[in-house]
Amino acid sequence: MKLKLAMIGGGQGAFIGAIHRIASRIDDHYELVAGAFSSNAEKSRASGLALGVSPERAYTSYQELIEKEKQLPEDERVQVISIVTPNHVHFEPTKLALENGFHVILDKPMTFSLNEAKELEKVVKSSGKLFCLTHTYTGYPMVKEARQLIASGKIGKVRKVYVEYPQGWLSTFLEGEDNKQASWRTDPGKSGIAGAMGDIGTHAFNLAEYVSGLQTTKLNADINVVVEGRKLDDDGAVLLKYDNGASGVLMATQIAAGDENNVKIRVYGETGGIEWQQDIANTLLVKYLDKPTEIWRTGGGYTSSYVTGNMRAPAGHPEGYLEAFANLYKNFALTVKATIEGKEAEAVWLDFPGVEEGVRGMAFVENVIASGKSDKKWTDFVI
């Protein structure tokens, strides 16, 4: 059974919409049957036609999509709505979709503000519908293995976390060159109060908490606007304190000229450490105090079901960003199908980011920006 999927946003010229559609197709769990692909009615229809959507289901607004799909017979209407709009158009369509009986996959960060995030958390819980937030990097098999190893006590009690996300694509005033991706990400009216910290800092923050199993309790942020004329931060570093007493360092920058997207995390415990980075995503380093470092690989036969259940190719065949994204879609689909069939979802299927991670991500944004503007050295992590 394929789940019937609709998309809000992601029309012609949009980057992340195409990524979501590829991710949805990799494991054949979804069929894209409807969408409101743009706030421009003509562009939405044209996008739908190009994607093979029936003209009558290429809607002119998300309101029309939700209203008309709700009226269709149960065996025809969409079951899951993927929302891939800029940040300021996350809350309203997600709320409306959930309240009208649709499961939702939402691009990160969850909302425009923390207040919206907390309100959306209430809607998710009251709706009884499933919700997935696409923090892509948690979809990598060896990231999942790192989390399982740490949770099992492999490296002892966690003491230190380092996480970094360097990009260089905003090293110049790209938003002044009519670049759509740069324009909305650097616009406070569309992105919110944060630039780099909202766009990629939230990924780093989520990855650190996911892998370590810890939650942030305090932070101390240095936030910068490096490129002249830019309205939002494009660089920053954050010191973190966690709920078990461990400390962490987070770096997120979009002005690291020449760097691409080599996300990296290192976690150190009492007896060892783990290290993972995106450009060698099939590899996890496991380190020890008293013996040589081990190189763990996907497909090695010694990993957990959280690796084998999230990989598709034989050992030595690289799986990357698209496959990690697809793992979120796959696990969400399997969970939705289990719900439809009245069955209990397996633990490995339930391993996708949800509304709690979304709230914590927006709390990170607001606390980091507040700390960056404050003279106080450390501030509590407030939700």
Side-chain angles (χ1 to χ4, degrees):
M1 175 185 74
K2 287 189 179 183
L3 296 171
K4 290 178 281 297
L5 178 70
M7 180 167 282
I8 296 173
Q12 293 173 334
F15 159 70
I16 202 65
I19 299 296
H20 278 259
R21 288 191 292 273
I22 292 168
S24 74
R25 293 196 300 265
I26 283 179
D27 297 292
D28 278 335
H29 287 299
Y30 301 87
E31 180 184 6
L32 181 68
V33 299
F37 301 101
S38 173
S39 56
N40 179 298
E42 185 177 336
K43 187 174 181 180
S44 182
R45 292 191 192 96
S47 297
L49 181 65
L51 293 168
V53 172
S54 298
E56 67 273 14
R57 297 180 82 174
Y59 300 104
T60 59
S61 70
Y62 71 81
Q63 295 94 335
E64 183 189 21
L65 183 155
I66 291 167
E67 181 60 31
K68 289 192 174 179
E69 287 294 322
K70 185 178 66 171
Q71 294 173 9
L72 292 175
E74 188 174 352
D75 62 346
E76 294 180 24
R77 76 172 73 113
V78 301
Q79 296 154 298
V80 179
I81 297 179
S82 177
I83 299 171
V84 297
T85 51
N87 303 356
H88 70 298
V89 196
H90 280 188
F91 176 76
E92 291 294 346
T94 303
K95 179 175 183 288
L96 194 62
L98 290 164
E99 290 176 339
N100 282 276
F102 301 100
H103 304 290
V104 172
I105 299 172
L106 178 63
D107 199 52
K108 59 93 327 252
M110 191 162 77
T111 50
F112 188 74
S113 67
L114 178 57
N115 284 338
E116 282 187 352
K118 290 192 285 189
E119 179 63 27
L120 196 56
E121 182 178 33
K122 295 175 185 176
V123 174
V124 172
K125 291 179 178 178
S126 64
S127 72
K129 295 300 170 181
L130 294 167
F131 174 85
C132 173
L133 188 69
T134 54
H135 275 298
T136 321
Y137 307 101
T138 63
Y140 279 101
M142 297 315 280
V143 167
K144 293 183 180 297
E145 187 73 349
R147 174 182 169 88
Q148 296 305 312
L149 290 174
I150 290 170
S152 73
K154 183 78 170 178
I155 64 171
K157 179 184 175 182
V158 173
R159 291 174 167 174
K160 194 77 179 181
V161 179
Y162 294 94
V163 62
E164 60 185 65
Y165 197 148
Q167 290 180 339
W169 75 289
L170 286 177
S171 291
T172 62
F173 194 67
L174 204 57
E175 58 267 43
E177 301 175 15
D178 197 31
N179 182 295
K180 182 178 179 180
Q181 296 301 320
S183 294
W184 80 258
R185 282 178 167 82
T186 58
D187 181 352
K190 294 181 179 179
S191 185
I193 63 172
M197 281 297 162
D199 191 20
I200 60 174
T202 49
H203 272 312
F205 171 79
N206 174 259
L207 182 63
E209 290 202 338
Y210 176 80
V211 171
S212 69
L214 305 177
Q215 290 194 328
T216 304
T217 57
K218 292 178 181 292
L219 55 79
N220 177 7
D222 175 45
I223 305 300
N224 306 299
V225 179
V226 176
V227 174
E228 186 177 354
R230 185 157 288 156
K231 296 177 181 178
L232 294 173
D233 60 284
D234 50 19
D235 170 74
V238 189
L239 299 177
L240 304 161
K241 296 288 187 185
Y242 292 103
D243 53 0
N244 77 333
S247 62
V249 181
L250 181 153
M251 181 273 279
T253 183
Q254 293 174 316
I255 51 87
D259 271 3
E260 296 171 341
N261 288 276
N262 193 21
V263 185
K264 182 176 181 178
I265 184 166
R266 292 170 288 161
V267 181
Y268 297 99
E270 295 169 317
T271 59
I274 64 95
E275 180 176 328
W276 177 88
Q277 60 187 63
Q278 185 173 225
D279 68 355
I280 47 170
N282 282 19
T283 297
L284 180 69
L285 300 183
V286 182
K287 306 175 182 183
Y288 302 95
L289 275 175
D290 54 358
K291 58 181 179 179
T293 294
E294 296 174 353
I295 301 173
W296 290 44
R297 296 277 293 168
T298 55
Y302 41 76
T303 54
S304 72
S305 61
Y306 286 82
V307 174
T308 56
N310 286 283
M311 55 178 288
R312 298 164 187 82
H317 292 72
E319 295 189 61
Y321 178 74
L322 294 173
E323 290 85 356
F325 221 117
N327 284 334
L328 304 186
Y329 267 83
K330 179 185 72 172
N331 290 337
F332 189 72
L334 293 172
T335 303
V336 170
K337 289 180 182 182
T339 300
I340 292 171
E341 296 167 2
K343 299 177 181 178
E344 185 174 347
E346 295 182 15
V348 69
W349 302 345
L350 292 166
D351 186 30
F352 56 81
V355 70
E356 181 181 349
E357 289 86 349
V359 171
R360 291 191 64 80
M362 288 312 303
F364 169 77
V365 168
E366 297 207 358
N367 282 282
V368 156
I369 298 302
S371 174
K373 293 179 178 178
S374 173
D375 292 332
K376 186 177 179 182
K377 184 177 179 183
W378 285 94
T379 57
D380 291 333
F381 189 86
V382 178
I383 296 179

